[in-house]
Amino acid sequence: MANKKLFATIAGKLAPKTDAVNEAGGLAYALTPKEALAQYAATGCLNGTFYASAKEQLDAVLALCAKVDDLFIARTAVYCRERGFMKDMPALLCAVLAARNTGLLEAIFPRVIDNGKMLRTFLQILRSGVTGRKSLGTAPKRMVLRWLESRRDEVLFRDAVGRAPSLGDVLRMVHPRPASKTREALYGYLLRRPYDPEALPQLVRDYEAFRWGATEDVPDVPFQMLTSLELSTEVWMEIARKAPWQMTRMNLNTFARHGVFADEEVTLTIAARLADPEAIRKARVFPYQLLTAFTAAGEDVPQFVRDALEEAMEIATGNVPAIDGQVYVCPDVSGSMESPVTGTQGSATSAVRCIDVAALVAASIVRRNPSAKVLPFEDHVVDVQLDPRDSIMTNAEKLAAVGGGGTACSKPLLRLNQQMAHGDLVVFVSDNESWADPQHGQGTEMMRHWDRFKRRNPDARLVCIDLQPSGTTQAQSREDVLNVGGFSDAVFTLIADFAAGRMAAGQWSKIIDDVAIAQPAVA
């Protein structure tokens, strides 16, 4: 018999050969153009990240669009708007279609360009010329006109927040024909041209009356329309009573500064709104936005309101999967994860870091899967103990407080292999820019250790959640490996589907391929 020791199979030796170098200089696998575009669309905000500038992201997305078919671009735009709740990227993809396939653009326009901000972003990108055209042209102009005509007067007025371009600029671009006296007056108002004040929609008249002090009744208009006015504490309380969910979340410190929480009834109203399951669903809130509000709330925000934010977090992450078997979740806590999750954009840069989102995902999984084990990593595994009975907020803050070194995605798997661990699902949450692993052999160190883990656990699955736009990965997509991008709660649904075997293939792009594209509907 041959010498077993001499001819033993070396686990992991046949890991697939790497074919790329990531932005940090480490060995990696290149995503397919479809996978890469999906990754950029779900995580890119066209702002600078730790490894790439906004211009580099834009160039990468346009280059990827040139490599995929128009239908996939359309489906990606719909997916990352409807399920990922992104803004800039779906607008950019629509602008690409405006230059390539106006028929598909028309099919998805109402689903992607679903409010005034999205319309302005789309037109701003289109007019810049980066996608191949600067003018609207006949078909896009028709879509914008249909968008304007489909919206009620009050909705259109509320959409008139923001500039570059303003809604008045949009009207000048497309020259809509008003179908009623109220719409004619509204267009004149927005264009700053002569109009009949008595024909204005009631909401506009209410706003103007409030603006000039003719009434103290606060109109039901966006918060931004009111903040430039000098308002009393009583008016601020009335604003707080009527504020929609997202505005409430974003302005807790503002309310505190203006004395709103001095009124117990208003405080109870705000807390009830924040913890309302239906309001949370309609607001399409990112779980990390709740973490932002919780950590940013000043001392003048009552504990009762903070408690409501914690309750809202439990509700917002309610679709985190409860998975049979042993789960390991590995949040990246390396130095690059300190960068803003939505990129750097001057004074508007988010205070939420990639590490905060990674910690939040880990804490959410542990909350629903008490037996799950967490292995935070940088260039080594960081030992942190989480109590699944603690709130998601508490555990997320505990995880986000550690780390800061280099990135070695292989280390959690190395630890599990050293312990001869058994498991059914391993979830990584990272920016995927691993560079501190040993650089030898034909595959990445992470893939070599995953293959070793699979030898003990043949039915195990690996999910790699990428929080920053990138065209590479540390674990090659296949039947047991899912690479997915994003930081909305839609990612939790994908994890559940993959863990339960409802996703047969390892390519995330196939999820987008299943997005149905129907004929355009009235907005």
Side-chain angles (χ1 to χ4, degrees), residues 3 82 96-97 120 145 163 217 245 251 254 270 288 292 356 375 393 404 410 438 490 495 523:
N3 186 318
E82 291 186 344
V96 169
L97 289 176
R120 289 193 303 275
L145 285 170
R163 303 199 172 277
D217 295 332
W245 194 94
N251 290 280
T254 300
I270 290 173
Y288 85 84
T292 305
D356 297 318
L375 291 83
M393 295 285 196
S410 63
I495 293 174

Side-chain angles (χ1 to χ4, degrees), residues 121-139:
T121 303
F122 165 71
L123 292 174
Q124 180 185 18
I125 294 172
L126 189 64
R127 293 165 73 201
S128 73
V130 298
T131 61
R133 65 184 299 170
K134 286 191 174 182
S135 61
L136 274 177
T138 302

Side-chain angles (χ1 to χ4, degrees), residues 265-314:
E265 177 266 327
V266 177
T267 301
L268 292 173
T269 297
I270 290 173
R273 181 184 304 137
L274 289 172
D276 179 7
E278 182 63 17
I280 292 169
R281 185 191 65 80
K282 288 183 177 179
R284 301 195 297 186
V285 59
F286 286 122
Y288 85 84
Q289 291 174 320
L290 286 161
L291 181 62
T292 305
F294 182 81
T295 56
E299 294 181 358
D300 293 332
V301 176
Q303 185 61 46
F304 191 66
V305 175
R306 294 167 180 268
D307 292 343
L309 285 171
E310 292 212 52
E311 184 177 348
M313 175 64 77
E314 302 290 341

